[in-house]
Amino acid sequence: GESVGLHLPTLSVQEGDNSIINCAYSNSASDYFIWYKQESGKGPQFIIDIRSNMDKRQGQRVTVLLNKTVKHLSLQIAATQPGDSAVYFCAENGVVYSGGYQKVTFGTGTKLQVIP
Amino acid sequence: GAGVSQSPSNKVTEKGKDVELRCDPISGHTALYWYRQSLGQGLEFLIYFQGNSAPDKSGLPSDRFSAERTGGSVSTLTIQRTQQEDSAVYLCASKNGQKLFFGSGTQLSVL
């Protein structure tokens, strides 16, 4: 079945270093991927997205890379800060069916710990 | 309101009792999703409402779980005869375009 999974459950990074969070997906038909950040006690929040016709998209201190050949997605955070400590989820927006149905599947999540 | 609102924020109940969890989505968002998040885990899809169409209930774990969405806005997730394994955070999200906007969730504890 469809699945979106993460390679690493926990990542510890020194403040100021760059962070890379990885995600594998299995549904080659998906054409839209999103990274969400979940801070403690809150719901996930949108960080950055990418369409399947792109291989890279940059935001403010964040970059998402998409490799469709190996079905791999990554989130890069530059100059990691304490406020970046959170759980990060990749999400896969599935095919849009008639009536507008579109299932969103989330990966397991990676906990990012920033060491001051 | 400005965002997705969920109530209550915390719910403690006894095994066997019924509970109702409420979600107020962002005004104008036609899609509404419910997810369950167990401690230290990812997001488990439960149910999805799209406009006035029949909901996608494929993620509901048992017939003790049900949800409705009245008037295309507020949604209620009901869990009957709660079990200890139902303890989790229940998250609601509404969707605009491709992005999901989440509430802060309801922490359900079944004793």
Side-chain angles (χ1 to χ4, degrees), chain A residues 36 38 93 100-102 104, chain B residues 33 35 37 48 54 95 98 100:
Chain A
Y36 290 87
Q38 186 179 27
N93 285 16
Y101 285 112
Q102 183 183 45
V104 180
Chain B
Y33 296 74
Y35 290 88
Q37 186 174 31
Y48 162 40
K95 189 158 165 277
Q98 297 283 354
L100 289 178

Side-chain angles (χ1 to χ4, degrees), chain A residues 6-80:
Chain A
L6 293 177
H7 295 308
L8 299 173
T10 305
L11 177 66
S12 295
V13 176
Q14 201 74 36
E15 181 178 357
D17 287 352
N18 296 333
S19 303
I20 299 177
I21 301 171
N22 296 302
C23 176
Y25 65 94
S26 60
N27 186 0
S28 58
S30 294
D31 70 347
Y32 199 89
F33 303 89
I34 299 177
W35 281 98
Y36 290 87
K37 173 185 180 183
Q38 186 179 27
E39 296 176 292
S40 181
K42 298 182 180 179
Q45 291 187 312
F46 170 90
I47 303 174
I48 191 168
D49 56 3
I50 189 168
R51 286 196 176 276
S52 61
N53 61 354
M54 304 169 66
D55 54 19
K56 180 179 180 179
R57 190 169 187 203
Q58 288 185 298
Q60 185 176 9
R61 284 201 306 116
V62 295
T63 300
V64 55
L65 300 178
L66 176 62
N67 186 330
K68 294 182 291 294
T69 302
V70 295
K71 298 177 188 174
H72 185 267
L73 193 68
S74 69
L75 176 70
Q76 299 179 358
I77 304 173
T80 311

